[in-house]
Amino acid sequence: MSTFNIRDERGSSNRPALARLTRLDTDTFSREHWGEMPLLTRRADDFHDLFSAEAVDELVAERALRTPFVRMASEGRVLNPSMFTAPGGVGAEVGDQLDSGKVLENFANGATLVLQGLHRTWEPISRFTRRLVEELGHPAQVNAYITPASSRGFDPHYDTHDVFVIQIAGAKRWTIHEPVHRHPLPGQPWSDYRPEVEEAASGEPVIDEVFEPGDVLYLPRGWLHSAVARGGTSIHLTIGVRATTRHDLLQRILAAAGDEEALRAPLALGVDYTDSASLSGDLAETIRATRDLLEHSIDDTAIAASMQRRFVEDTRPAPVRPLATVDLLSDLGPQTLLAWRDALQTRIEDDGDTVRIVLRTKTVTLPAEASAAIHALHQTEQRAGKLPALDHESSLVVARRLLREGIAVPR
C-alpha cells in the first residue's frame, strides 16, 4: 500500500496560497507530492474568509446563476437541469436560471448541490485562485459541493485534473484508492476504465478519513475517490488544477512538424494499408525526418510562446470596475496609488523608439520615454503623478492610458 502524509497544523491566513493549503513550501510540495502522492493536512487553516453556508444561500437565492454554473446529483446520478432551474421571467429571456425553490426541494430530498466556476462568480475565491495559479504556474478552477447528511453525490471515480479539497463546513468521509490509470489526460475519463475503477474501489483504501472544517486534501489526477456527508450538511471546495503536461509540449512539437517539407510529402502511390511492409519505407523516412526535426529544428522560444498563449487563454485577470475607472480618469489625482492589474498576463517589449505592452487581445504602444515607468509599475505600486523618469504631466498621461486600457488599477 502506498504511503501518504497527514499533517496536523494551523497557521495564519496571511500566507502564500499553497502554503495555506498544505503547510509546505513550493519546493517541498513539488518534490514530495505534486502529481504523485496525496497529502492530507489536518486543520490547515480557517477558510471561512473564502466560503460559507451563507455564501451558498446568497449564490442560490440572489445571484441568478445559470447552467453550467450549477448542477445537482443524487446517489451518483446527475439530475436533469429542468429539475432545479426555471425560466427567468419577464426581462430575462432565458430558460435555465437557478430556481431556489426547486433547489430546496431536491436538497431536502438528499441531492448534492454543485456550484461550478466559483473562481468566476465569488470574489474571495477569485482572489485566492489567482494567487494559487501564480504560485503553481498551472490554470485552476473552483467548484463547491454541498451535500446533505449521509448522502453520496457521485460514485467512486477519478478526475483528469489535480485537486485540492477544502472542507468548509460539516464533516465528510472520504475514501481514496490507488489509480488504475496514472496521469490520465482530459480525453481519458474514468468511465473508459469503469470495470477497473469498480474493482479497485472495492479493495483496501489508501485513505479512509472523516474530514472536518479546515482540513485540506491534495489529490493528484487519477486517484480514485468518493465521499459521504456525515453529521449534517457538508460543504467543501474543490480546486481543480489543470496541469500542463509533457503531452501538451509534444502536441506543440507536432504542430511545428507542419513546417518541415519532408513531413508534408505524400506517401507513395498504391500504398497497401493492410500490409505493414508496404508502409515500411514511408515509416522509416517519417522517423528520420522527425528525428531531424527534434534534433535541429525545434525553436524553444516558439514552443514557450505557444504554451504562454494557451495559459493566457485558460486564465482570467482580476476584474476591473468600468464606471469607477471612467470617473477616476476625469479626476485623476497625482497621489492616486496604482498597481498592475492582478494576474494580467502581459509581455513588455522595448525597441528603442517605443515600449509595447502585449496582451492576449491587443498591444498597447507608448513612447520609449515611458519604458522605465511601465517596468516600475509592473514590479510595484506607483503614484499616478510620480511615475519614474517622467515629469508630472507626462506621468498622469501615461497613468490615464494604462487605466483606460485595463492594465493598471487603483489601489
Side-chain angles (χ1 to χ4, degrees):
M1 180 183 299
S2 297
T3 60
F4 67 97
N5 286 352
I6 299 181
R7 299 177 63 83
D8 192 352
E9 302 182 57
R10 183 185 292 268
S12 169
S13 61
N14 297 319
R15 306 196 307 273
L18 181 62
R20 190 176 175 189
L21 295 172
T22 66
R23 300 291 293 165
L24 296 176
D25 61 76
T26 303
D27 289 342
T28 302
F29 176 77
S30 176
R31 182 176 62 255
E32 298 182 1
H33 294 280
W34 174 242
E36 296 295 337
M37 290 300 299
L39 171 65
L40 172 56
T41 306
R42 292 292 193 186
R43 296 187 293 276
D45 212 336
D46 181 348
F47 293 99
H48 279 86
D49 61 311
L50 296 185
F51 207 57
S52 64
E54 292 76 18
V56 174
D57 276 343
E58 180 177 334
L59 284 161
V60 170
E62 302 178 20
R63 296 297 184 95
L65 294 181
R66 299 177 59 192
T67 56
F69 283 100
V70 62
R71 59 184 169 134
M72 299 193 78
S74 180
E75 296 302 318
R77 177 177 63 89
V78 177
L79 302 185
N80 188 295
S82 64
M83 296 180 66
F84 53 87
T85 63
V90 175
E93 305 302 324
V94 296
D96 61 348
Q97 202 166 70
L98 193 61
D99 184 308
S100 58
K102 289 184 176 182
V103 171
L104 170 60
E105 179 181 356
N106 284 289
F107 188 75
N109 287 331
T112 290
L113 171 67
V114 185
L115 298 174
Q116 303 192 144
L118 287 173
H119 60 294
R120 297 295 312 281
T121 60
W122 194 250
E123 179 55 25
I125 290 178
S126 297
R127 290 195 303 269
F128 182 82
T129 306
R130 289 194 295 270
R131 291 198 298 269
L132 183 63
V133 167
E134 183 177 0
E135 295 171 28
L136 297 178
H138 298 271
Q141 56 106 37
V142 183
N143 296 345
Y145 294 79
I146 304 95
T147 308
S150 302
S151 292
R152 175 174 58 88
F154 296 93
D155 289 329
H157 65 284
Y158 67 70
D159 294 322
T160 59
H161 53 270
D162 295 50
V163 298
F164 292 92
V165 176
I166 307 173
Q167 191 69 28
I168 297 294
K172 182 168 278 191
R173 180 182 176 183
W174 282 79
T175 305
I176 311 297
H177 290 83
E178 292 254 15
V180 299
H181 182 61
R182 293 182 62 82
H183 305 304
L185 297 172
Q188 299 171 333
W190 74 271
S191 54
D192 288 353
Y193 298 85
R194 189 183 297 273
E196 294 91 337
V197 167
E198 291 176 349
E199 179 180 358
S202 67
E204 184 73 16
V206 175
I207 299 176
D208 188 357
E209 299 280 345
V210 175
F211 293 10
E212 297 182 345
D215 292 347
V216 178
L217 170 70
Y218 165 70
L219 199 63
R221 58 197 167 102
W223 285 73
L224 310 184
H225 56 279
S226 61
V228 178
R230 301 277 295 273
T233 297
S234 166
I235 302 174
H236 77 262
L237 296 175
T238 296
I239 303 175
V241 182
R242 300 192 178 275
T244 303
T245 67
R246 293 188 178 96
H247 184 264
D248 295 315
L249 286 176
L250 179 59
Q251 288 181 311
R252 296 303 187 276
I253 293 171
L254 291 176
D259 294 331
E260 294 296 308
E261 181 179 346
L263 290 170
R264 298 198 306 269
L267 301 184
L269 286 177
V271 61
D272 182 359
Y273 297 107
T274 65
D275 180 7
S276 60
S278 180
L279 283 171
S280 60
D282 281 305
L283 183 59
E285 178 59 24
T286 299
I287 293 173
R288 185 204 63 76
T290 301
R291 185 181 297 115
D292 186 65
L293 168 71
L294 296 175
E295 292 177 351
H296 305 294
S297 302
I298 292 298
D299 184 343
D300 292 356
T301 301
I303 295 294
S306 175
M307 298 303 291
Q308 182 190 33
R309 285 193 296 271
R310 172 180 167 171
F311 181 78
V312 171
E313 292 171 355
D314 287 345
T315 57
R316 290 293 184 95
V320 295
R321 300 182 179 275
L323 302 188
T325 301
V326 170
D327 287 343
L328 181 62
L329 289 174
S330 64
D331 189 27
L332 183 62
Q335 295 301 316
T336 301
L337 192 60
L338 303 181
W340 205 265
R341 185 177 171 188
D342 191 26
L344 182 67
Q345 302 296 324
T346 58
R347 187 173 70 254
I348 302 174
E349 299 176 345
D350 293 276
D351 64 8
D353 296 321
T354 63
V355 55
R356 295 185 297 276
I357 306 170
V358 181
L359 301 101
R360 181 172 68 92
T361 59
K362 62 184 177 182
T363 297
V364 177
T365 303
L366 292 166
E369 290 76 13
S371 178
I374 290 171
H375 284 282
L377 181 62
H378 187 251
Q379 294 299 318
T380 189
E381 297 174 347
Q382 302 289 332
R383 300 290 178 183
K386 298 181 179 180
L387 295 178
L390 295 175
D391 60 37
H392 174 76
E393 291 301 324
S394 297
S395 181
L396 288 174
V397 169
V398 171
R400 288 191 184 95
R401 178 72 185 281
L402 296 177
L403 284 165
R404 184 184 182 89
E405 298 288 356
I407 296 170
V409 293
R411 275 287 187 256

